Amino acid sequence: MTITLLNASSSPVDGFFVLGGSITREIYVAQEGKKSPETPILISRGSQDPCIRLIFQREVAPVQNVWLEHCADSTFENFYYSIPILRRLGVHKVMLITSPTHLPRAKWLGQILLGSHGIWVEPVIVEEKGIPGNRESWLKTGADVTRSLLWAGLSQFIQPECSNVTRLAEVNMQDWQQRGFRCERKGNLGR
């Protein structure tokens, strides 16, 4: 595994992984996706699907290689459910997109959980405006790191499947408009 990780560390990024929590991160990945249209993007428990679709349309970024994972309810679960998806996409080096208030927990969990599957993690910090909603406590960080160390071993044999993964290209905007949706104000999407 060490050799695999060392090889991946010197390779170019071949996947973007966004930890949900702010539309600012999704705007950032849409801009990056425009520069690398062939690179797969996985957004774990992000904004509502139509909001993400509108961001990618506004940024004129391709939507074919974008997947939205809707099973995770925590940072640990972001990784828990995303490992099998990233492996199916053939990712070996992922750009982990998060915010400063989400570190160091997101980085450590990524290095432990994704690293145990040969995926190198390169964190990118996207600055948030306003009051961040996810202040990290050291107690929670310690608990999640401990849980991640255990899961790194178990996940070699057990692969959880998220049954709620959507391709961004398949988001039905008409259906969402009939149901109504609201986007985070920071996105400037007018919804």
Side-chain angles (χ1 to χ4, degrees), residues 144-162:
D144 273 355
V145 166
T146 302
R147 184 165 51 156
S148 294
L149 289 168
L150 293 170
W151 184 249
L154 289 173
S155 68
Q156 303 303 312
F157 308 103
I158 303 168
Q159 293 293 306
E161 285 295 321
C162 175

Side-chain angles (χ1 to χ4, degrees), residues 5-7 18 27 32 40-41 44 64 78 81 95 121 123 129 136 152 155 159 163-164 168 187 189:
L5 281 173
L6 285 174
N7 287 336
V18 180
I27 293 168
E32 289 298 311
I41 297 170
S44 179
Q64 291 305 103
N78 288 137
Y81 287 112
M95 181 184 288
V121 176
K129 295 178 182 160
E136 301 295 309
S155 68
Q159 293 293 306
S163 60
N164 193 357
L168 188 57
L189 297 169

Side-chain angles (χ1 to χ4, degrees), residues 45-80:
R45 196 54 152 205
S47 300
Q48 288 186 338
D49 296 1
C51 300
I52 297 171
R53 180 76 187 242
L54 290 172
I55 289 167
F56 275 75
Q57 286 176 347
R58 182 181 68 201
E59 298 295 330
V60 193
V63 296
Q64 291 305 103
N65 278 335
V66 183
W67 284 264
L68 311 174
E69 175 270 306
H70 298 289
C71 293
D73 287 321
S74 68
T75 304
F76 175 82
E77 287 183 1
N78 288 137
F79 293 100
Y80 175 88

Side-chain angles (χ1 to χ4, degrees), residues 2-13 92-94 118-122:
T2 303
I3 293 169
T4 302
L5 281 173
L6 285 174
N7 287 336
S9 72
S10 59
S11 301
V13 167
H92 301 288
K93 183 174 183 177
V94 70
I119 301 172
W120 185 264
V121 176
E122 188 171 295

